Amino acid sequence: MTEKFIINEQLNFIKKQIAMIKESTKKNVPPNVLAAVIDLANAKILDLIPNASLDQQEMLDLSRLKTDVEYEQYIKRLSDYLLPFPKITEEQLKKMFPKNKKLKLPDLSKIDHSQLTYLSWNDLRSNKKFIVYELDGKMVGIECSITPTSKNNICSFCNCFGEVAYFSTVTKAKKSKNPDYYKAIGNFICANSSECNKKITSVEYLTTFLKDSLGM
């Protein structure tokens, strides 16, 4: 039996490719066009995990699937090989935010680690959002200010349109000639981080944001 090898955003990416195939099928496109859509989706999925073993490549291959039931079974089987978000304790979270003496922590027992790319929670009393992510093999966290918005927009993390909040954080960037210098980064992200984790298909922006914020 092959080991778990898929992470949350990769499974979301695969689901998105299957949704595109289903959409093309509903539109009754010519067979050669549908075949091209399937071939492209399959190639993208196989490229998604370049170090996959032969068994894993066989498991990822969707070129032989035909029906909605087969696609559902495919996703269900891949879900069994989903790597969960690393287990983390309340003590570890407290160490990530040592300056916040009144840190409000999430109920870790109620969090489904199998559907997380990043861990996030809000402290509505202080209008703060906390984000924790495994960056280059190390768990890191940042604290951001968050402001609700009344309009929908594109989330910077999952790149999907929906209900967002504006958040900003002060980076650790410094200038030797100006000790008072600071740089703030602001973006729109999903108001509901749980929904964002269900839609995110790439961590490119998330990792860039964290590295800029942490001065890495």
Side-chain angles (χ1 to χ4, degrees):
M1 181 176 179
T2 188
E3 297 179 350
K4 294 185 177 183
F5 66 102
I6 301 171
I7 51 181
N8 181 64
E9 63 270 19
Q10 292 173 334
L11 186 60
N12 290 342
F13 179 89
I14 292 170
K15 290 178 180 177
K16 188 174 181 179
Q17 298 305 308
I18 290 175
M20 292 174 63
I21 293 172
K22 289 182 177 180
E23 184 65 22
S24 296
T25 303
K26 289 179 182 178
K27 291 180 179 179
N28 293 317
V29 298
N32 62 321
V33 174
L34 180 59
V37 171
I38 294 173
D39 287 345
L40 181 58
N42 198 54
K44 287 181 177 179
I45 291 171
L46 293 176
D47 286 344
L48 191 62
I49 309 174
N51 296 323
S53 67
L54 291 177
D55 286 343
Q56 291 165 350
Q57 290 177 30
E58 179 69 20
M59 192 182 303
L60 290 168
D61 187 355
L62 56 66
S63 61
R64 293 185 296 273
L65 306 182
K66 301 296 182 183
T67 67
D68 285 355
V69 171
E70 289 176 334
Y71 284 122
E72 289 171 8
Q73 291 173 340
Y74 170 84
I75 289 297
K76 188 176 184 301
R77 186 184 183 200
L78 290 184
S79 297
D80 292 335
Y81 294 89
L82 192 60
L83 287 163
F85 187 82
K87 291 291 185 182
I88 193 165
T89 65
E90 291 187 354
E91 194 60 34
Q92 287 175 302
L93 290 177
K94 290 177 181 178
K95 289 181 179 179
M96 289 183 189
F97 306 99
K99 294 181 180 180
N100 194 318
K101 302 304 180 183
K102 296 182 179 180
L103 180 65
K104 181 184 178 182
L105 294 173
D107 186 346
L108 296 175
S109 66
K110 294 182 179 180
I111 295 174
D112 183 359
H113 285 67
S114 68
Q115 291 187 318
L116 284 186
T117 290
Y118 66 93
L119 172 64
S120 180
W121 70 97
N122 295 343
D123 183 349
L124 298 179
R125 295 173 302 175
S126 59
N127 292 321
K128 296 289 186 180
K129 175 179 278 290
F130 300 87
I131 296 174
V132 173
Y133 178 71
E134 187 176 28
L135 185 63
D136 297 333
K138 179 183 178 182
M139 297 298 288
V140 298
I142 60 167
E143 178 180 328
C144 311
S145 297
I146 188 167
T147 305
T149 63
S150 58
K151 295 182 179 179
N152 290 352
N153 212 317
I154 299 292
C155 170
S156 297
F157 289 171
C158 70
N159 204 34
C160 293
F161 186 80
E163 183 182 353
V164 296
Y166 181 79
F167 81 113
S168 62
T169 186
V170 175
T171 75
K172 294 185 177 181
K174 299 294 182 183
K175 285 189 176 181
S176 58
K177 294 181 181 180
N178 184 1
D180 295 325
Y181 170 85
Y182 75 93
K183 178 184 176 183
I185 301 177
N187 288 278
F188 289 112
I189 63 169
C190 286
N192 188 326
S193 295
S194 177
E195 290 302 311
C196 188
N197 271 286
K198 293 177 183 177
K199 297 182 290 187
I200 187 170
T201 58
S202 169
V203 295
E204 183 177 358
Y205 181 81
L206 174 61
T207 55
T208 298
F209 165 75
L210 288 171
K211 288 180 178 179
D212 287 346
S213 301
L214 297 170
M216 298 175 68

